[in-house]
Amino acid sequence: MTHDQFGGLTGWDFEGFHNGGDTELWRRLGSKVVTVHHPERGEVTGVRFAVWAPNARSVQVIGDFNWWTGDSLHLVPGSGVWATFIEGLGEGTLYKFRIETADGQWLEKVDPMAKFSEQAPANASIVYESKYIWSDDEWVARRRQAKAHAEPMSIYEVHLGGWRKGKSYLDLAEELVSYVKWQGYTHVEFMPVAEHPFEPSWGYQVTGYFSPTSRFGKPDDLRYLIDRLHQAGIGVIMDWVPGHFPKDDWALGRFDGTALYEHADPRQGEHQDWGTYIFNYGRNEVKSFLVSNALYWIQEFHVDGLRVDAVASMLYLDYSREEGQWVPNEHGGRENLEAIDFLRYVNRHLYEREPGVLMIAEESTSFPGVTKPVHQGGLGFGFKWNMGWMNDSLRYLQLDPVYRQYEHNLLTFAMVYQYSENFILPISHDEVVHGKGSMINKVPQDDWRKFATLRAFYSFMWSFPGKQLLFMGCEFGQRPEFNESVSLEWWVSELWGHGGLQRLFRDLNLTYRANPALYELDNEPEGFSWINADDGGHNALSWVRHDTHGNHVACVTNFSPEPLEDYEIGLPAGGSWEEILNTDAPIYDGSGEYGNLGEVHAVDEPWGHWPARANVTVPPLGSVWLRRASGQ
């Protein structure tokens, strides 16, 4: 076997793979169009196939080019990788690997490194080479200098198939981009776009980690969508699922007849809740595969960040397990030390390779130091979803207003731990599925109160310390739960209440972005001061947000159906305070009856710990924001 019959690969090429240090594995494994030297005919072009199957007895590539009968791959010496070069093949070639296990069984597997795949229910891998020329150099250069914690971030979470049913990546590059830009969000977050066979899994059960789903077009079409978002000034976050993978017999599971990517012991290797396999994070090749995959989306698709799904399930060996169903770590504890090391590795590596990238943990426990740097003993994420804030605030929202005074601490408690991590406040797809009801149907009483309460709640959320995330459809108060098989109910945005809420979101985003006091010091105690945290009797909360230049925004929210008239608050300075938001305004389908005629005048008389005081009107089930610029 000559070097060129392996398509240019040698055992040396896989040294980094075996020690876990190769983080660009897609350049070596999988299918690739290459040109090699033929001793008689000179340069010849074809496709190199390479797959890791160290325990296989033999491996073949089958495809449309050999009537699915098989061409043999050859073991690259000392690598556990099987490879071959087939002349004359090119882009668009369909293929799979046929693997003979040690006990003589034959398995048909899709390529773990496939860059493109057939549309479900078909599943063959497809040879694909990107020809895309990017136009977002300016965006990527700015990202490298970005200071995400001190910048505005409001994220629109999108399931591409359910936003508008039947739209392709190319359609979305027009329609989704213009809509998100109009709404004023800084980022979109795509639910997983890696290939998955079962649509109701929403992409969280991945069979093609390097393959964007073909449901909406080709990989370069997705590149175009991301490029257009960047050109519109919108960042792109993608959900990434390194916690588990499905058991489909044609995918990663028991890949060469043995537990290759997963733990062999079901107490370590299987998620009982989800019926999936768990990656073996202690295996160097698995670490190389996953870290390469994270870098692949960032480098090859210019994704700006990864939201890592189900981190809690990775951190704990006893996650959702009964006594006796899990194996303690070497110290007898419940922490998954190998997964912790893996998360630190991927976070550190991505931040070093791609400064400005966002690594976001969906982590639902109080595991310490999720967003602390790795060199300080943390996991090294940039942000963490604040699940505590979400659970508490939604519990409060569902209470009849008469009972809210007894649960006031649900809205104030998050400030007790606010500076322990860098938080994102999420109202995600998880809150509007599986019988939980849509956001509007969580709120009690009639439609007027439902919409007013939602407007107050979202202004409370947008002014609270932390970045924001909202699932699609919530911005216009969709009534049914999320269902991936149909479009959002866009027609309701023409109706009273729904349209007003949608217009409020646009103004929330634009006002938020225009006022650094609302975001610059999210993670610093200097950025937030309570005016009154204890007015449960009125269902009212008030605080001031500050920036580093002496600007202030005072935010007062009333979760009672009674207006607060001549409501006294303390403020950091006397003089004129401009009313920059009132959720009861007619444009938002509010009553327009309760406001401050555009401004509030504060007098220099002490109020509590504040040097000035003012009387404000706060609408029933409403919010008011007041701004005082520095130098006034």
Side-chain angles (χ1 to χ4, degrees):
M1 201 70 198
T2 70
H3 169 72
D4 283 342
Q5 285 172 297
F6 291 129
L9 293 172
T10 71
W12 290 106
D13 290 306
F14 299 105
E15 200 170 349
F17 174 49
H18 294 308
N19 66 31
D22 184 354
T23 59
E24 297 183 10
L25 191 57
W26 70 89
R27 303 189 189 283
R28 282 160 275 285
L29 289 182
S31 61
K32 191 168 182 61
V33 177
V34 294
T35 300
V36 301
H37 182 76
H38 189 279
E40 295 163 12
R41 291 181 289 117
E43 304 287 291
V44 294
T45 299
V47 173
R48 179 184 76 205
F49 298 95
V51 63
W52 179 52
N55 305 302
R57 187 186 286 178
S58 65
V59 179
Q60 298 174 343
V61 61
I62 58 175
D64 53 1
F65 53 92
N66 62 18
W67 300 277
W68 302 94
T69 57
D71 279 75
S72 291
L73 275 69
H74 309 275
L75 194 59
V76 179
S79 70
V81 171
W82 302 75
T84 194
F85 170 79
I86 301 178
E87 185 182 339
L89 299 185
E91 246 199 297
T93 301
L94 270 61
Y95 70 100
K96 295 182 184 179
F97 293 116
R98 185 186 287 145
I99 296 171
E100 185 184 11
T101 67
D103 59 2
Q105 291 185 38
W106 285 92
L107 310 173
E108 275 193 16
K109 295 286 190 176
V110 299
D111 183 359
M113 307 294 297
K115 297 187 182 76
F116 190 31
S117 308
E118 279 189 300
Q119 193 169 329
N123 58 25
S125 303
I126 304 173
V127 177
Y128 190 86
E129 301 289 338
S130 174
K131 297 175 180 62
Y132 191 75
I133 298 169
W134 291 89
S135 302
D136 64 350
D137 292 358
E138 196 176 313
W139 172 271
V140 173
R142 199 194 81 78
R143 184 179 78 195
R144 291 178 184 278
Q145 309 301 320
K147 299 283 182 281
H149 300 103
E151 295 180 5
M153 188 188 300
S154 63
I155 305 165
Y156 186 60
E157 188 190 24
V158 178
H159 177 275
L160 289 175
W163 188 73
R164 281 203 169 102
K165 200 74 186 163
K167 299 295 183 181
S168 67
Y169 293 127
L170 297 180
D171 296 330
L172 292 164
E174 306 303 322
E175 296 175 31
L176 178 67
V177 173
S178 64
Y179 180 73
V180 173
K181 187 167 186 180
W182 173 73
Q183 276 274 283
Y185 292 94
T186 65
H187 291 74
V188 293
E189 179 176 313
F190 294 149
M191 288 163 71
V193 296
E195 195 58 81
H196 52 284
F198 185 52
E199 199 160 352
S201 81
W202 308 324
Y204 291 100
Q205 297 207 2
V206 179
T207 51
Y209 272 82
F210 291 79
S211 179
T213 180
S214 53
R215 287 174 176 85
F216 315 120
K218 295 183 175 180
D220 277 358
D221 298 344
L222 174 59
R223 287 179 170 94
Y224 177 72
L225 167 58
I226 294 170
D227 202 356
R228 287 294 303 272
L229 283 159
H230 285 170
Q231 290 170 50
I234 300 160
V236 179
I237 299 162
M238 192 185 94
D239 277 18
W240 185 52
V241 193
H244 63 121
F245 60 92
K247 292 182 175 179
D248 300 80
D249 57 10
W250 44 267
L252 281 181
R254 303 298 191 263
F255 189 78
D256 63 359
T258 68
L260 199 59
Y261 289 87
E262 69 275 30
H263 271 285
D265 187 332
R267 295 173 301 167
Q268 297 170 282
E270 294 188 30
H271 265 309
Q272 294 140 324
D273 288 2
W274 303 325
T276 52
Y277 286 130
I278 300 170
F279 283 105
N280 181 354
Y281 305 106
R283 186 161 199 165
N284 285 337
E285 292 89 351
V286 173
K287 282 194 280 194
S288 179
F289 173 81
L290 287 172
V291 180
S292 292
N293 184 240
L295 188 63
Y296 175 77
W297 290 107
I298 290 163
Q299 286 201 339
E300 295 291 315
F301 286 85
H302 290 206
V303 165
D304 300 292
L306 299 174
R307 176 267 197 185
V308 183
D309 181 60
V311 170
S313 76
M314 299 170 68
L315 295 176
Y316 296 105
L317 296 163
D318 63 346
Y319 181 85
S320 200
R321 292 176 191 272
E322 302 294 326
E323 196 62 46
Q325 293 184 339
W326 57 283
V327 181
N329 64 33
E330 61 192 44
H331 308 299
R334 56 196 280 260
E335 295 78 17
N336 187 335
L337 302 178
E338 293 169 341
I340 289 168
D341 283 346
F342 161 73
L343 288 169
R344 287 173 168 159
Y345 175 27
V346 70
N347 286 329
R348 188 180 64 239
H349 187 74
L350 293 184
Y351 278 121
E352 285 172 359
R353 291 288 297 273
E354 296 289 338
V357 77
L358 303 168
M359 293 300 290
I360 302 165
E362 186 227 1
E363 202 283 312
S364 53
T365 74
S366 53
F367 189 92
V370 172
T371 59
K372 264 180 105 170
V374 172
H375 66 268
Q376 293 178 14
L379 290 183
F381 284 96
F383 291 94
K384 167 180 165 164
W385 276 21
N386 192 339
M387 310 298 274
W389 174 90
M390 178 274 297
N391 284 313
D392 287 349
S393 58
L394 291 187
R395 268 183 61 202
Y396 183 90
L397 195 69
Q398 292 172 74
L399 294 169
D400 189 286
V402 73
Y403 300 119
R404 286 176 180 161
Q405 59 185 309
Y406 307 115
E407 301 286 352
H408 190 70
N409 66 304
L410 288 172
L411 293 189
T412 60
F413 182 64
M415 282 310 301
V416 172
Y417 58 86
Q418 169 61 31
Y419 306 110
S420 62
E421 303 280 4
N422 304 323
F423 284 121
I424 289 173
L425 310 177
I427 298 296
S428 75
H429 68 277
D430 280 329
E431 313 324 317
V432 292
V433 291
H434 302 325
K436 293 180 186 173
S438 62
M439 283 294 288
I440 192 157
N441 286 334
K442 296 183 197 299
V443 184
Q445 301 186 341
D446 61 25
D447 264 10
W448 192 93
R449 292 187 177 195
K450 284 177 184 286
F451 281 111
T453 302
L454 279 186
R455 294 194 302 268
F457 173 74
Y458 289 127
S459 62
F460 158 81
M461 174 180 174
W462 251 245
S463 59
F464 199 86
K467 313 307 182 185
Q468 295 85 28
L469 176 138
L470 188 82
F471 183 56
M472 65 181 198
C474 293
E475 79 276 14
F476 56 80
Q478 169 153 318
R479 292 179 191 266
E481 286 192 331
F482 167 56
N483 178 353
E484 79 289 333
S485 65
V486 295
S487 287
L488 297 180
E489 290 191 343
W490 288 101
W491 59 273
V492 303
S493 64
E494 304 295 318
L495 304 178
W496 176 90
H498 298 278
L501 185 60
Q502 190 182 42
R503 290 186 290 275
L504 172 72
F505 267 105
R506 182 170 194 266
D507 285 353
L508 281 176
N509 279 323
L510 297 179
T511 307
Y512 165 74
R513 294 172 73 165
N515 289 278
L518 292 170
Y519 60 78
E520 189 183 28
L521 297 173
D522 275 333
N523 307 117
E524 309 294 333
E526 298 78 25
F528 176 95
S529 308
W530 283 110
I531 298 173
N532 192 344
D534 303 318
D535 194 3
H538 285 109
N539 298 353
L541 301 100
S542 51
W543 59 71
V544 181
R545 300 295 307 277
H546 316 279
D547 67 14
T548 54
H549 294 94
N551 302 301
H552 310 285
V553 175
C555 308
V556 190
T557 302
N558 174 15
F559 283 112
S560 158
E562 300 300 322
L564 296 175
E565 299 187 85
D566 279 335
Y567 185 67
E568 193 167 68
I569 59 172
L571 289 169
S576 174
W577 286 71
E578 177 190 1
E579 185 180 77
I580 56 173
L581 184 81
N582 183 327
T583 63
D584 191 47
I587 191 173
Y588 310 135
D589 296 334
S591 74
E593 293 176 22
Y594 302 96
N596 298 280
L597 302 175
E599 69 172 354
V600 167
H601 189 77
V603 296
D604 291 312
E605 295 175 7
W607 187 94
H609 60 281
W610 296 100
R613 66 174 68 206
N615 290 76
V616 300
T617 295
V618 189
L621 301 171
S623 255
V624 167
W625 293 358
L626 307 167
R627 174 175 61 197
R628 190 176 192 283
S630 63
Q632 270 189 225

